[in-house]
Amino acid sequence: MGIIVEQKSEKVTASVKWVLEDPKQKEVWWPSEELKKMAWVSDESIYEQADKDPTAFWANRAREGLHWFKEWDRTYERNPPYFKWFVGGRINASYNAVDRHIKTGRRYKAAIIWEPEPIDEPARVLTYYDLYREVDKFANVLKSLGVKRGDRVGIYLPMMPEVQIAMLACARIGAAHSVVFSAFSADSLRSRLKDAEAKVLITADGYYRRGKVLNLKAEADKGVEGTPVKDVVVVRRAGLDVDIVEGRDHWWHELMEDADAHCEPEAMDSEDILFILYTSGTTGKPKGVVHTTGGYLTQAYWTSKWDFDIHDDDLFWCTADIGWITGHTYSCYGPLLLGATMLIYEGAPDYPEPDRWWDIVEKYGVTIFYTAPTAIRMFVKCGEEWPRKHDLSSLRILGTVGEPIDREAWLWYFHNIGGGRCPIIDTWWQTETGGTLINSLPGIGPFIPTVAGRSFPGMRHAVLDENGNKVGVGGSGSLVQLSPFAPGMLRGIYKDPERYKELYFSRYGEEIYYTHDGARVWDEMHNIRLGGREDDVMKVAGHRLATAEVETALTEHEAVAEVAVVPAPHEIKGEVPVAFVILRKGRQPSEELAKEIIARVTKAIGPTAKPENLFFVPDLPKTRSGKIMRRILKSLMKGEPIGDVTTLMNPEIVEELKAKVGYVEAGLT
Ligand code: AMP
């Protein structure tokens, strides 16, 4: 495309004095004139305009971007800590993602390009018209299984078009979907299906991962035991010979054969639940984050359009699995609402070789590419010869999400994948927020390694100190969101209102949403650098995981008396869990036993949560009231100064633990 992102560091270095003191921060890029010209937004005044009246701003966006069967009566309603958007409005997500486009020139445009993992298997392309027929048919299938408006449906599928079809079919008839990551274990699936009270589960026989076929149906069979699931729909993906339970299990293709290709979309209330997505909180039990319809769709539409500057001739590829919020918003709803063409890929990024992703970018001419720092770090390790084998000149915009991106990874991505032409949109957001909240926009900038950017127009954030005062330029504290909250924000935790209040609206009161992230105000423009979680939540390869969840799984082993799990830094995954285990009396530590205990985590959560290391210890650092001081264990693993230990009940244990983990204070090596 020949779009050059010019380096104009003077602008920021001139306006923020302390930036000058850090030579690395001369790395500030701004969009070129060409990039600005083609961008949907390139005029900075958009921020000010939106901030004057965010409610009116979002009302205009909702009207302009979406089709409403009936317009809302009130745009925003507050009842702290609850709030609603587009109250009284009637809308349907699948109508907006599919039906609208088949009435336009996009009717035969590719909606989804699916790249299977086996290299000799042809891609599948679904046009918007194909998608329309499949969604309607599957919506009728769900109805025939007794699924009604207001019900919940579980989805446990790998990345393949049936995922989007199933999600949109649920939305069409007003059932809430609850997708469970296909690499999660049967136990994880079961607890989610139970909590959501899902009637039906949609799964596949198996799928490909690094050249192997994984038997998903076997996990699903275990996962539905003891849940309210009455029917299981199985997509034939891998041709596995799986057990079919008479009366409960049905092949997708057989049900679809007889299904009618027209299904009237339900006119949903703007505040009806669109989906529940489970994520890790600070306790052992994952929480069902509830997203409703009108507000979520509005935010999905506009953040997709402006963050990634998606145009009709773009090919957008978000590499996130559908099991995560990023998959929901940017591998399903967002691009489809825009009538864009998106790519999805079934398999591993480095299969059969570490250039698989770059091969895909070249083969299809991907123009916008959105991934996670953990993947970038993996590619940095593989070496730049892999992307260099491919023509990546189709790329125009790059994105990243999931955890803070370090300067080295940012620059590698910028130069080796983006060829120094493409802005990197570092999007900060959460499962709870439904869509992105903080990032620079491609036509406005700036693009600064490790600095995500500003609040999206019409959203308000602040960084607060312990006393709830706003910090100024250069200051650090807790990131919060201020009212009016973004339209796509969670409306609750499924069946647990107390937890919703306690987690998000207790730290700074009922009018301020606490993000649980630390942040720093970077400059006068209010660009933000994120500093990671302030609670006991880790990001393992970009996946959110509570230390408490891993601890719960470990304590299930009968040899374990007490356990503490903390994150340790990891070169590629960012963070990994490590476990400190006190054994029950009479049990002897051994490698075999460590493996057995660790296997509990794979069973309870899945392989992504497996502790990287397990230390058998005689004791854990505790306060006088008996509370485990995880902070000390964290510092031990990070090589940070341990600080004062005199207030501990058992300060002597710290030296022993230092020896055990091979502690070296950073900076002393
Ligand atoms: P999840 O709900 O799994 O998407 O995780 C949300 C958490 O991921 C946030 O609270 C942050 O800690 C982290 N996160 C997501 N995106 C970014 C980003 N661009 N920069 C820094 N941290 C991020």
Side-chain angles (χ1 to χ4, degrees), residues 279 324-326 373 400-405 426-432 438 452 515-517 530-533 537 539 542-544:
T279 188
W324 310 103
I325 189 71
T326 308
T400 159
V401 62
E403 53 182 313
I405 181 164
D426 177 359
T427 60
W428 176 87
W429 59 300
Q430 309 175 302
T431 305
E432 291 88 341
I438 296 180
T515 66
H516 294 254
D517 271 40
L530 279 310
R533 299 284 301 197
V537 168
K539 293 305 297 255
H543 300 161
R544 183 159 156 182

Side-chain angles (χ1 to χ4, degrees), residues 32 108 117 156 180 266 317 327 352 360 403 434 529 544 583 600 642:
S32 65
Y108 304 118
E117 190 188 78
Y156 187 51
V180 179
E266 285 282 326
W317 182 16
I360 295 173
E403 53 182 313
R529 169 189 266 183
R544 183 159 156 182
L583 287 176
R600 291 292 160 136
I642 305 296

